[in-house]
Amino acid sequence: VPLVRIDVFEGRRTPEQLRLLADTVQDVMLEVFAAPPRDRYQVLAEHRPGQLICEDTGLGLERTDDLVILQVFQQGRSEEQKRALYAGLAERLETVTGLAPSDLIVSVVGNTREDWSFGLGRAQFLDGDL
Amino acid sequence: VPLVRIDVFEGRRTPEQLRLLADTVQDVMLEVFAAPPRDRYQVLAEHRPGQLICEDTGLGLERTDDLVILQVFQQGRSEEQKRALYAGLAERLETVTGLAPSDLIVSVVGNTREDWSFGLGRAQFLDGDL
Amino acid sequence: VPLVRIDVFEGRRTPEQLRLLADTVQDVMLEVFAAPPRDRYQVLAEHRPGQLICEDTGLGLERTDDLVILQVFQQGRSEEQKRALYAGLAERLETVTGLAPSDLIVSVVGNTREDWSFGLGRAQFLDGDL
């Protein structure tokens, strides 16, 4: 279910590094966000200089051009699962890809089980397929 | 009202084919999703290889590079209207554009009538304009 | 908090004009949408001809290629704050950047305090950091 938009600056990562970033995000989805196997829907976009503008809401965080903005559209996760997602992403992305935890921004949007069709024109959550 | 993001791979469709895809999505919005005439707001994005990553949540669907991800931001539609949207999109996009129904992913996000301004700085749903 | 997606056509604005557009959107966020200082998260995307398709829901608005689509993801604002946002954006963008108010479309999506991590893997709204 999670549909994840990944926005980064262009020119900072090779295609292989971008893939590792996306793979690592997905690993965390599977491990701490209760996504079932093969539940992967990711849209990556690379932006030219100036096209991502992120400050820090006064939190004292330093942003660099390695910045990653994740927008996660999902249904049904609890507050605890979201906390685990944020912590898991920061820890794993730092370990695997070297991303500074201060360069990771995550925003979640919730919808409901009737809001998803994974193919064939069906509403798999409502039809008992999932 | 529906604001629709259409994400596809680049190099798979001519500009005319992309337009036909967008037109067909809009036709279904008008016919089965209760969109009024000229209620069309679409943002298309074409992605390089590797920038859309879609699996199948174990549903046994085969994805190809013709894949289409539709994200529909709207207010007020019922479960039945959403079901009709999914079925109508899959059927019509296959008939008109040849898209395999297994290559269509749709995710809906709901908001409310106060969440839209279509121009002039007004909230048309609240002001009685719509 | 607001995460703002700004979609425009390419080739209509210099990088400096794009920055002024984004800065002006942010100024309105700070002044009428109750965003705290340095609460700025913007993703800009420029689209090729044909990749933004906007009609007018029968409102009699003329759209040009200067069109701006703003999608604002946020939590907690009231109807009155949203009205002030729409009016403030239209007025200020016209004054500062010359954007016709008929070329501004705004859509808001709401989430909750548990849906944001601004860095470090923390949920700053829940942890008392914000």
Side-chain angles (χ1 to χ4, degrees):
Chain A
V1 173
L3 171 62
V4 182
R5 292 191 179 274
I6 303 175
D7 290 280
V8 297
F9 280 112
E10 68 181 13
R12 304 291 294 184
R13 294 170 179 90
T14 65
E16 292 71 25
Q17 289 172 320
L18 265 183
R19 180 70 191 204
L20 183 61
L21 171 66
D23 285 351
T24 304
V25 168
Q26 180 60 16
D27 287 345
V28 176
M29 294 285 163
L30 293 175
E31 290 173 36
V32 308
F33 208 48
R38 297 187 56 75
D39 193 46
R40 180 173 189 173
Y41 303 93
Q42 296 177 318
V43 179
L44 287 76
E46 292 178 281
H47 296 267
R48 286 199 286 271
Q51 299 205 336
L52 299 178
I53 306 174
C54 288
E55 298 181 347
D56 72 344
T57 320
L59 291 164
L61 303 171
E62 190 186 353
R63 312 293 192 186
T64 77
D65 286 350
D66 288 333
L67 186 74
V68 174
I69 302 177
L70 296 182
Q71 199 175 17
V72 181
F73 299 85
Q74 61 78 45
Q75 64 85 25
R77 270 74 180 190
S78 68
E79 178 183 312
E80 283 317 299
Q81 286 175 311
K82 293 173 189 174
R83 280 185 183 275
L85 176 71
Y86 307 146
L89 285 168
E91 187 276 335
R92 194 68 62 84
L93 287 171
E94 183 176 32
T95 303
V96 177
T97 74
L99 182 71
S102 53
D103 266 333
L104 176 65
I105 295 162
V106 188
S107 177
V108 177
V109 174
N111 59 9
T112 67
R113 293 174 67 84
E114 70 191 43
D115 289 321
W116 296 90
S117 175
F118 298 99
L120 308 183
R122 293 170 61 87
Q124 281 86 0
F125 277 128
L126 302 180
D127 295 343
D129 299 330
L130 287 178
Chain B
V1 174
L3 170 63
V4 182
R5 292 191 179 274
I6 303 176
D7 289 282
V8 297
F9 280 112
E10 68 180 13
R12 305 291 296 183
R13 295 170 178 89
T14 65
E16 292 72 24
Q17 287 172 322
L18 265 183
R19 179 71 191 204
L20 183 60
L21 171 67
D23 285 351
T24 305
V25 169
Q26 181 60 15
D27 287 346
V28 176
M29 294 286 163
L30 293 174
E31 290 173 37
V32 309
F33 209 49
R38 297 187 56 75
D39 193 45
R40 180 173 188 172
Y41 303 93
Q42 297 176 317
V43 179
L44 287 76
E46 293 178 280
H47 296 266
R48 286 200 285 272
Q51 299 205 336
L52 299 179
I53 306 174
C54 288
E55 298 181 346
D56 72 344
T57 321
L59 291 164
L61 303 171
E62 192 186 352
R63 313 293 191 185
T64 78
D65 287 349
D66 289 333
L67 186 74
V68 175
I69 301 177
L70 296 181
Q71 199 175 18
V72 180
F73 299 85
Q74 60 80 44
Q75 64 85 24
R77 269 74 181 191
S78 68
E79 179 182 313
E80 282 318 299
Q81 286 175 311
K82 293 174 188 174
R83 280 186 182 276
L85 176 71
Y86 307 146
L89 285 168
E91 187 276 335
R92 194 68 61 84
L93 287 171
E94 183 176 33
T95 303
V96 176
T97 74
L99 181 72
S102 53
D103 266 334
L104 177 66
I105 295 161
V106 188
S107 178
V108 176
V109 174
N111 59 9
T112 67
R113 294 174 68 82
E114 70 191 43
D115 289 320
W116 296 89
S117 175
F118 299 99
L120 308 183
R122 293 170 61 85
Q124 280 85 2
F125 277 129
L126 302 180
D127 295 343
D129 300 331
L130 287 178
Chain C
V1 174
L3 171 63
V4 182
R5 292 191 178 272
I6 303 176
D7 289 281
V8 298
F9 280 111
E10 67 180 13
R12 305 290 296 183
R13 295 170 178 90
T14 65
E16 292 72 25
Q17 288 172 321
L18 265 182
R19 180 70 191 205
L20 183 61
L21 171 66
D23 285 350
T24 305
V25 168
Q26 181 60 15
D27 287 346
V28 176
M29 294 286 163
L30 293 174
E31 290 174 35
V32 307
F33 208 48
R38 298 188 55 77
D39 193 44
R40 180 174 188 173
Y41 303 93
Q42 297 177 318
V43 179
L44 287 77
E46 292 178 280
H47 296 267
R48 287 199 285 271
Q51 299 205 336
L52 299 178
I53 306 175
C54 288
E55 299 181 347
D56 72 344
T57 320
L59 291 164
L61 303 171
E62 190 185 353
R63 313 292 192 187
T64 78
D65 286 350
D66 288 333
L67 186 74
V68 174
I69 302 178
L70 296 182
Q71 198 174 19
V72 181
F73 299 85
Q74 60 79 45
Q75 65 83 25
R77 270 75 180 189
S78 68
E79 178 182 312
E80 283 317 298
Q81 287 175 312
K82 293 174 189 174
R83 280 186 183 276
L85 176 71
Y86 307 146
L89 286 168
E91 187 276 336
R92 193 69 60 85
L93 286 171
E94 183 176 32
T95 303
V96 176
T97 74
L99 182 71
S102 53
D103 266 334
L104 177 66
I105 295 162
V106 188
S107 178
V108 177
V109 174
N111 59 9
T112 66
R113 292 173 68 83
E114 70 191 43
D115 289 320
W116 295 89
S117 175
F118 298 99
L120 308 183
R122 292 170 61 87
Q124 280 86 1
F125 278 128
L126 302 181
D127 295 342
D129 300 329
L130 287 179

